[in-house]
Amino acid sequence: MEKRYYPLSKYLKETFNKKVYKITLDGGFNCPNRDGTISSGGCIFCDESGSYSRCNSAENSIQTQIKESIEKLTKQFKAQAFMAYFQSYSNTYAPVDYLKKIYDSVFFDDKIVSISIGTRPDCVDNEKLDLISTYKHPWIEYGLQSAKDETLKLINRGHDFNCFKQAVIETKKRNIKVCAHIILGFPNENKKDMLETAKKLAELEIDGIKIHMLTVLADSPLAKIYEKQPFYLLNMEQYAEIVCDILEILPKTTTIQRIAGTGYSETTLVPKWVNRRFEILNLIDKIMIQRNSIQGQNYIKPKD
Ligand code: SF4
């Protein structure tokens, strides 16, 4: 069934004329919000793995991680094209010459057609962005989580919305695609706040989005808060309705990179439904059909 939104897989197929598989890499980076540079506690929802990461291990070199993944994906799916994705922690948090060495090492095989780098908006500068702009089809994924500064303070992000906005502007200037990560269901936010975040991202004409439900992970600071004083968490239906509202607000061209996930069931304390990926995806499809809506139908193009 054709989706009523624009999945990343479709964008990649249209761009490269073949299916592109993501290879998730661990470049062995740290995060300034965990190592004491900004704070030592990190974002309150983040556990020790550095924000929902589940990927290759930094014990192996980048080339080994890629080679092993290519071998596996080729055997399993006859895969021919790959995107190298640095996921864990802040993958621009190092001097630029070191970053160059790490990113260069990705492109030893022509089958790597794109690179995607996950990081914080306060971990880039002109020099780093200039470097990233030199690679094949580059993306940067910025954690934002919410456009509401009060929330960013509450969750100990260590940056505000303006920092994110400036990073996006500088990144897009260099023709690097931008994907933003947001989280729905912070206890201090109502639906209006969450849709406001979507509107601000739509104004910035971001190229991609990953939407997460707030999840209390074992060993995260949020787990301690929740144990002391449990707070309300959205149920699956409420989450899916808000995701559909967001899809309607975003431009048609924004690639939808994640709206449901799996794989953290062992560390997820609450809500457990977040790991029922296919159920969530089906519900989102069902709501969009019931509403007869499509991505972008409520998008308001910013004035020049
Ligand atoms: S910036 Fe990312 S890795 Fe660092 S504490 Fe926050 S979620 Fe975790």
Side-chain angles (χ1 to χ4, degrees):
M1 186 183 67
E2 181 80 0
K3 295 283 182 196
R4 287 173 174 250
Y5 53 86
Y6 189 35
L8 176 69
S9 54
K10 188 174 176 190
Y11 162 84
L12 291 171
K13 185 95 196 280
E14 286 170 358
T15 306
F16 297 102
N17 223 2
K18 56 182 93 150
K19 192 168 163 63
V20 177
Y21 293 79
K22 234 180 198 184
I23 296 177
T24 306
L25 302 168
D26 187 342
F29 292 97
N30 203 337
C31 165
N33 204 21
R34 297 191 68 95
D35 71 2
T37 305
I38 294 173
S39 85
S40 51
C43 304
I44 60 171
F45 55 84
C46 182
D47 70 358
E48 279 178 7
S49 63
S51 187
Y52 305 136
S53 61
R54 168 151 306 213
C55 54
N56 280 308
S57 159
E59 281 164 22
N60 294 327
S61 73
I62 296 297
Q63 292 202 355
T64 305
Q65 293 180 49
I66 293 179
K67 273 182 193 158
E68 285 177 356
S69 296
I70 288 184
E71 206 182 297
K72 212 167 113 200
L73 290 164
T74 308
K75 222 185 211 168
Q76 226 175 333
F77 305 109
K78 297 197 169 66
Q80 294 170 352
F82 306 90
M83 172 191 255
Y85 171 40
F86 288 92
Q87 180 183 28
S88 304
Y89 299 105
S90 304
N91 295 281
T92 55
Y93 184 44
V96 76
D97 47 347
Y98 179 76
L99 294 178
K100 183 171 178 346
K101 213 171 98 195
I102 296 281
Y103 303 154
D104 279 356
S105 72
V106 161
F107 292 99
F108 66 95
D109 186 320
D110 282 350
K111 292 198 279 290
I112 309 292
V113 296
S114 177
I115 184 169
S116 184
I117 297 163
T119 193
R120 294 170 54 88
D122 57 359
C123 267
V124 291
D125 56 29
N126 289 342
E127 218 187 337
K128 290 176 185 176
L129 292 174
D130 286 344
L131 169 71
I132 293 168
S133 72
T134 63
Y135 294 104
K136 278 198 243 173
H137 208 88
W139 282 78
I140 296 186
E141 298 193 15
Y142 288 122
L144 168 65
Q145 320 314 348
S146 167
K148 189 171 177 173
D149 282 340
E150 179 198 295
T151 305
L152 296 181
K153 234 185 207 156
L154 190 83
I155 63 175
N156 198 36
R157 273 300 291 176
H159 66 76
D160 58 11
F161 176 71
N162 192 48
C163 168
F164 169 82
K165 184 175 170 182
Q166 293 315 315
V168 170
I169 291 169
E170 286 302 319
T171 306
K172 285 178 78 73
K173 251 190 218 169
R174 291 164 172 82
N175 287 322
I176 302 167
K177 302 258 180 219
V178 173
C179 174
H181 294 208
I182 64 167
I183 294 179
L184 305 184
F186 288 118
N188 66 314
E189 292 203 355
N190 56 30
K191 184 169 160 176
K192 194 165 163 263
D193 293 319
M194 296 177 234
L195 300 190
E196 198 49 41
T197 294
K199 283 180 195 157
K200 287 188 172 163
L201 293 177
E203 272 167 32
L204 287 169
E205 298 178 274
I206 47 144
D207 306 291
I209 191 164
K210 288 187 176 173
I211 307 176
H212 296 262
M213 169 61 202
L214 180 65
T215 304
V216 182
L217 297 176
D219 296 328
S220 68
L222 192 60
K224 289 195 183 73
I225 296 171
Y226 188 83
E227 272 156 25
K228 244 191 197 163
Q229 198 170 4
F231 47 83
Y232 183 76
L233 288 156
L234 300 176
N235 61 39
M236 192 196 292
E237 289 69 27
Q238 291 166 324
Y239 172 80
E241 289 280 352
I242 297 171
V243 168
C244 293
D245 293 338
I246 291 173
L247 295 176
E248 291 166 6
I249 287 170
L250 293 171
K252 276 194 177 80
T253 49
T254 299
T255 58
I256 308 306
Q257 307 205 2
R258 182 204 191 276
I259 44 180
T262 51
Y264 309 101
S265 42
E266 325 85 67
T267 51
T268 300
L269 297 181
V270 278
K272 291 286 188 194
W273 62 258
V274 292
N275 297 308
R276 286 160 30 207
R277 180 164 185 263
F278 289 107
E279 229 178 289
I280 302 167
L281 291 174
N282 289 341
L283 184 56
I284 290 167
D285 288 340
K286 195 173 139 199
I287 295 170
M288 292 202 81
I289 290 169
Q290 275 166 355
R291 292 184 187 184
N292 193 21
S293 78
I294 53 162
Q295 180 179 338
Q297 71 172 32
N298 295 334
Y299 169 59
I300 300 168
K301 199 170 169 44
K303 292 189 186 97
D304 289 330

